[in-house]
Amino acid sequence: GSQLQLEDTAPRIVEHPTDLLVSKGEPATLSCKAEGRPPPAVEWYKDGERVETDREDPRSHRTLLPGGSLFFLRILHGRRGKPDEGVYVCVARNYLGEATSRNASLEVAGE
């Protein structure tokens, strides 16, 4: 039979992250889902800097989930630093282009 040719398409974000208020030490998930052909690679940026996940650093407390969401095993927050607090965006890329999600702010409660 004739093969249906699917056109390659540039990424688009179909689920955007939303602002989170999380207690220190609790898990959290910033949602992001992107579509495209070929399936886009998702990266996260916090305050403009790329977020490292356990793909780069096996000891990281941040995991990139298969769908593209960013999962925090526990929100790190101490007197000396607030490594997880900030403004996040997710960026999906394939060879046809890239799509950037809305900004989502992550705040730590009770400090």
Side-chain angles (χ1 to χ4, degrees):
S2 64
Q3 189 72 39
L4 180 67
Q5 284 299 309
L6 285 166
E7 296 287 309
D8 283 356
T9 56
R12 65 188 184 98
I13 308 283
V14 292
E15 188 181 335
H16 291 265
T18 53
D19 295 349
L20 287 183
L21 182 62
V22 189
S23 300
K24 183 171 83 179
E26 292 294 305
T29 304
L30 282 165
S31 300
C32 180
K33 191 180 270 173
E35 288 178 353
R37 280 186 66 86
V42 171
E43 288 184 332
W44 283 86
Y45 292 84
K46 169 183 168 290
D47 301 330
E49 290 192 16
R50 195 169 170 284
V51 173
E52 285 211 334
T53 64
D54 60 1
R55 292 189 181 186
E56 292 89 20
D57 178 0
R59 296 186 308 271
S60 176
H61 66 295
R62 293 180 289 246
T63 300
L64 187 62
L65 299 179
S69 296
L70 185 65
F71 175 69
F72 301 81
L73 294 172
R74 60 192 179 283
I75 292 298
L76 298 183
H77 198 79
R79 280 188 203 84
R80 288 188 297 281
K82 307 179 180 184
D84 292 327
E85 215 169 54
V87 176
Y88 289 79
V89 296
C90 99
V91 180
R93 293 189 182 90
N94 67 15
Y95 79 97
L96 283 168
E98 65 178 57
T100 303
S101 73
R102 289 196 291 269
N103 288 354
S105 66
L106 189 153
E107 280 185 77
V108 179
E111 285 297 311

